[in-house]
Amino acid sequence: NSIGTFQFNLSGLASGTTYYYRAKAVGDGTSYGTEKSLATATPPTATTGDASGITASLATLNGNLTSLGTASSVSVSFQWGTSSGVYGYETTPEVKNSTGAFQFNLSNLASGTTFYYRAKAAGDVTSYGLEKSLTIATPPTVTTSDASSITASSATLNGNLTSLGTASSISVSFQWGTTSGVYGYE
């Protein structure tokens, strides 16, 4: 009923596509504005790699930025959590101006815990790599028993391996020395 600006929000557009549009007014006749075009953004792409260096409290997450999309730079990071599809944590983003590998070292992780993670690439649009999982290694457990067969020049050291943890085989040994807390021999 009065002159002024108007707008319409489009959704469901295909990324990386050029669209042409013009305004239209219908009253006592029909008129059109000049044709304009817009190109939708192309998202960057990142792949989620397998974790490496997994120990009882550490893991390295690996990813690869394979395309910057239409952005000149992309922030890459990892989202992670302890439930599939739920990412309560995100690593510090790293800005990349070219494609290539990226990684992040997670520390102070609880042994025996399974973590779910995915790569994230934020440029003109944000995209995510596929979810992967890793299980933090569980260390073996061992107990030290009392020494036996003690003589003036020998003794038998005794122990018990109570769990292999997540390893398929374990090496066991004893450390000893002549000062409490200092073990110069193994």
Side-chain angles (χ1 to χ4, degrees):
N1 293 328
S2 62
I3 61 172
T5 61
F6 60 99
Q7 65 183 25
F8 181 79
N9 293 323
L10 292 176
S11 61
L13 302 178
S15 67
T17 303
T18 300
Y19 291 92
Y20 299 91
Y21 64 97
R22 65 182 181 176
K24 177 181 177 182
V26 177
D28 289 336
T30 302
S31 68
Y32 300 93
T34 58
E35 182 179 86
K36 301 273 185 174
S37 67
L38 67 89
T40 56
T42 301
T45 54
T47 58
T48 308
D50 291 332
S52 60
I54 302 169
T55 68
S57 64
L58 305 169
T60 299
L61 303 181
N62 297 293
N64 189 27
L65 180 63
T66 57
S67 169
L68 275 70
T70 50
S72 59
S73 65
V74 172
S75 292
V76 293
S77 59
F78 293 96
Q79 294 180 319
W80 59 284
T82 55
S83 296
S84 178
V86 180
Y87 310 106
Y89 305 96
E90 185 169 339
T91 63
T92 304
E94 172 189 350
V95 175
K96 293 187 68 69
N97 296 316
S98 61
T99 59
F102 60 98
Q103 61 184 196
F104 191 84
N105 295 320
L106 296 178
S107 59
N108 299 320
L109 303 174
S111 66
T113 304
T114 299
F115 292 95
Y116 300 88
Y117 64 99
R118 66 181 181 178
K120 177 182 176 182
D124 292 335
V125 182
T126 300
S127 66
Y128 304 92
L130 297 177
E131 178 182 271
K132 296 233 176 184
S133 66
L134 67 97
T135 300
I136 298 301
T138 301
T141 54
V142 64
T143 59
T144 306
S145 303
D146 291 335
S148 61
S149 303
I150 302 169
T151 69
S153 62
S154 67
T156 300
L157 304 179
N158 299 295
N160 185 25
L161 178 64
T162 59
S163 169
L164 295 175
T166 51
S168 59
S169 65
I170 301 295
S171 296
V172 294
S173 62
F174 289 96
Q175 295 179 322
W176 75 92
T178 58
T179 304
S180 178
V182 179
Y183 308 104
Y185 305 97
E186 183 167 352

